[in-house]
Amino acid sequence: MYKIRISFIITILGLLFISYGCQHEEVPVSKEKNTASSKVKTLNIQPLEFQRVVGWIDDENILIQLKKEGKVTFDRLNVFTEKRHQIYETTHVISEVIISPNRDRFLIYSAKNKDKAALDVISMSGALLSTKEVQPQNIEFSWNRDDQDKMFLTTFDTNWNYQVFRWDIPTGNITKLNTSSPFVSWYSDNLFVFNQKSSPQKDRGDLYLEDMRDKAVKSLVVADVYQFAVSTNTLLTMEPSKEDKTMIYNFRTVGFESYYKYKAPRVYDELGTFFPFYDLNVEKETFLTFEPYESKKLKDHGSEFKLVKIDPKDKKTETILELTNNEPIMTSPNGRYCLYGYLFDQIIDLETKNIFYLIPHRDKMY
């Protein structure tokens, strides 16, 4: 529920942000000097031109979103050499951009006008692979890791009524998926898992596996879970523990067997259990998340967390940062670096534990 809640807010703010612009709020973390081992550079990009980093293309290159002269451009940028190459440009108002699991293409969800929106799939070389016109609405996207030509689209209205659709990208066909939950994710080429709750406001539900080729095939995978995440080799379920003050990150095989459990303090807000941002690295099978120091009700989401790295295979945990802000994170494919912040305008070196700003920072502008 928290993920969808944040997605809805970010989508709405994204439209306003792109149309009118916004100022980046300073993050209260100390900036370390660049070291020769890291080679991460502050980029020669004007702060008003920069909009956000979309994500990693590979271990050195990121996809960045810029705006100037009434156009939005998407560039490939090497964070170590500053080499930059424009991939694509548009005059549309951007709502969402998502890189595919194998990172050879990306989806742009944008508004042509108040009545028309577009789903455009762009290759990393800049070719328009597919385009689909849709009505403007709040959409959650789930890309199929086994087949990049398939995607789930979950739409929500202002009353949180939902519909789930399967989009076949090459043909443009969008078909409704009759599922009893909006919390849906691909599990293989044709299998998907979903968290069925008695209502969207409930903290917990039951995780089911279903085959879209045969609706009769529906199996209970895990009962009583908060949330879940799927990678190539791991199913992560977030579950209650016996103590109300803690919760469990349960790492499971693709066959759903638990092989490591990590217990963390449980925090909550007015809407229920609160889940800090996290990233499940597919290639390295590691888990990065913000962890509260104690169980309590959150008054704000500021520097109440530490950033921890969990290796479920070796059953090891490492603290990366102390007293830091809970903001979005995304690790590089090799697991060495991590994009950080609501605009992904910072990089954390997970080995040296240094933080670097990708654009001139606010305290350096004047």
Side-chain angles (χ1 to χ4, degrees), residues 176-340:
K176 186 176 179 180
L177 184 70
N178 292 319
T179 179
S180 54
S181 171
F183 311 100
V184 177
S185 182
W186 294 95
Y187 205 65
S188 70
D189 189 11
N190 293 293
L191 301 176
F192 63 95
V193 288
F194 60 94
N195 189 1
Q196 185 171 313
K197 303 181 181 183
S198 57
S199 73
Q201 290 74 31
K202 294 294 183 180
D203 257 9
R204 309 198 296 256
D206 297 329
L207 196 64
Y208 287 89
L209 175 72
E210 190 167 319
D211 190 331
M212 66 175 51
R213 297 165 299 184
D214 184 357
K215 292 298 181 180
V217 181
K218 179 180 175 181
S219 306
L220 176 65
V221 176
V222 186
D224 200 27
V225 301
Y226 290 116
Q227 292 186 7
F228 71 98
V230 178
S231 77
T232 303
N233 299 306
T234 300
L235 170 67
L236 172 65
T237 53
M238 297 156 212
E239 307 170 11
S241 67
K242 294 180 180 179
E243 305 86 21
D244 187 57
K245 291 187 176 181
T246 59
M247 54 84 61
I248 295 171
Y249 293 102
N250 196 342
F251 297 86
R252 300 171 179 272
T253 66
V254 291
F256 315 121
E257 295 296 323
S258 174
Y259 66 93
Y260 182 62
K261 294 180 180 180
Y262 181 80
K263 185 179 292 187
R266 173 183 171 268
V267 291
Y268 51 92
D269 58 17
E270 290 76 8
L271 297 177
T273 303
F274 175 85
F275 292 94
F277 288 104
Y278 61 85
D279 183 64
L280 184 60
N281 187 298
V282 174
E283 285 84 352
K284 295 298 179 180
E285 295 183 51
T286 58
F287 181 66
L288 199 68
T289 188
F290 293 94
E291 182 179 314
Y293 289 92
E294 61 180 346
S295 175
K296 64 178 182 178
K297 183 176 181 179
L298 292 180
K299 295 181 180 178
D300 59 59
H301 304 154
S303 301
E304 304 178 40
F305 300 87
K306 58 182 177 179
L307 180 62
V308 297
K309 180 182 178 182
I310 302 169
D311 186 338
K313 294 183 297 182
D314 295 333
K315 299 176 173 55
K316 294 180 179 179
T317 304
E318 179 185 7
T319 297
I320 305 298
L321 297 175
E322 298 273 7
L323 295 172
T324 190
N325 289 347
N326 171 52
E327 297 186 14
I329 47 177
M330 182 186 296
T331 50
S332 58
N334 63 7
R336 170 67 188 269
Y337 298 95
C338 175
L339 293 169
Y340 174 50

Side-chain angles (χ1 to χ4, degrees), residues 19-222:
S19 299
Y20 302 107
C22 72
Q23 293 183 343
H24 174 49
E25 182 179 353
E26 182 177 354
V27 178
V29 293
S30 58
K31 177 182 176 182
E32 301 287 345
K33 293 183 179 180
N34 291 14
T35 62
S37 61
S38 65
K39 303 178 183 177
V40 176
K41 298 183 181 298
T42 300
L43 309 173
N44 186 25
I45 297 176
Q46 295 299 318
L48 294 179
E49 178 186 353
F50 174 83
Q51 294 199 306
R52 63 171 162 172
V53 174
V54 178
W56 296 98
I57 298 176
D58 53 39
D59 292 325
E60 297 184 356
N61 292 278
I62 57 177
L63 181 67
I64 61 173
Q65 181 178 325
L66 307 171
K67 184 176 183 180
K68 58 182 178 180
E69 299 176 354
K71 294 181 180 180
V72 177
T73 65
F74 294 91
D75 292 10
R76 173 195 294 264
L77 190 145
N78 189 301
V79 299
F80 305 113
T81 66
E82 296 186 80
K83 183 178 179 181
R84 194 169 87 191
H85 172 71
Q86 182 176 309
I87 296 176
Y88 191 75
E89 72 174 26
T90 180
T91 58
H92 293 175
V93 177
I94 307 300
S95 177
E96 182 64 283
V97 186
I98 301 174
I99 298 176
S100 68
N102 66 6
R103 302 184 181 89
D104 70 344
R105 65 191 73 179
F106 58 98
L107 168 74
I108 300 176
Y109 176 42
S110 62
K112 294 182 177 181
N113 53 54
K114 66 177 183 178
D115 299 316
K116 294 181 180 179
L119 299 171
D120 296 321
V121 179
I122 314 298
S123 74
M124 286 301 175
S125 62
L128 178 62
L129 301 178
S130 177
T131 184
K132 182 72 175 179
E133 189 173 285
V134 295
Q135 293 181 346
Q137 54 196 317
N138 183 50
I139 304 179
E140 273 277 308
F141 300 94
S142 177
W143 218 313
N144 191 312
R145 291 189 175 276
D146 295 300
D147 187 345
Q148 310 287 300
D149 289 334
K150 296 178 182 178
M151 185 179 291
F152 283 144
L153 311 176
T154 304
T155 64
F156 297 89
D157 62 21
T158 54
N159 295 318
W160 294 107
N161 297 314
Y162 72 91
Q163 294 185 87
V164 181
F165 300 91
R166 172 187 167 180
W167 180 26
D168 184 75
I169 297 175
T171 65
N173 292 333
I174 294 181
T175 55
K176 186 176 179 180
L177 184 70
N178 292 319
T179 179
S180 54
S181 171
F183 311 100
V184 177
S185 182
W186 294 95
Y187 205 65
S188 70
D189 189 11
N190 293 293
L191 301 176
F192 63 95
V193 288
F194 60 94
N195 189 1
Q196 185 171 313
K197 303 181 181 183
S198 57
S199 73
Q201 290 74 31
K202 294 294 183 180
D203 257 9
R204 309 198 296 256
D206 297 329
L207 196 64
Y208 287 89
L209 175 72
E210 190 167 319
D211 190 331
M212 66 175 51
R213 297 165 299 184
D214 184 357
K215 292 298 181 180
V217 181
K218 179 180 175 181
S219 306
L220 176 65
V221 176
V222 186

Side-chain angles (χ1 to χ4, degrees), residues 343-355:
L343 303 179
F344 282 153
D345 57 343
Q346 300 166 70
I347 286 186
I348 303 171
D349 186 324
L350 298 178
E351 291 188 8
T352 67
K353 303 181 181 180
N354 292 335
I355 300 177

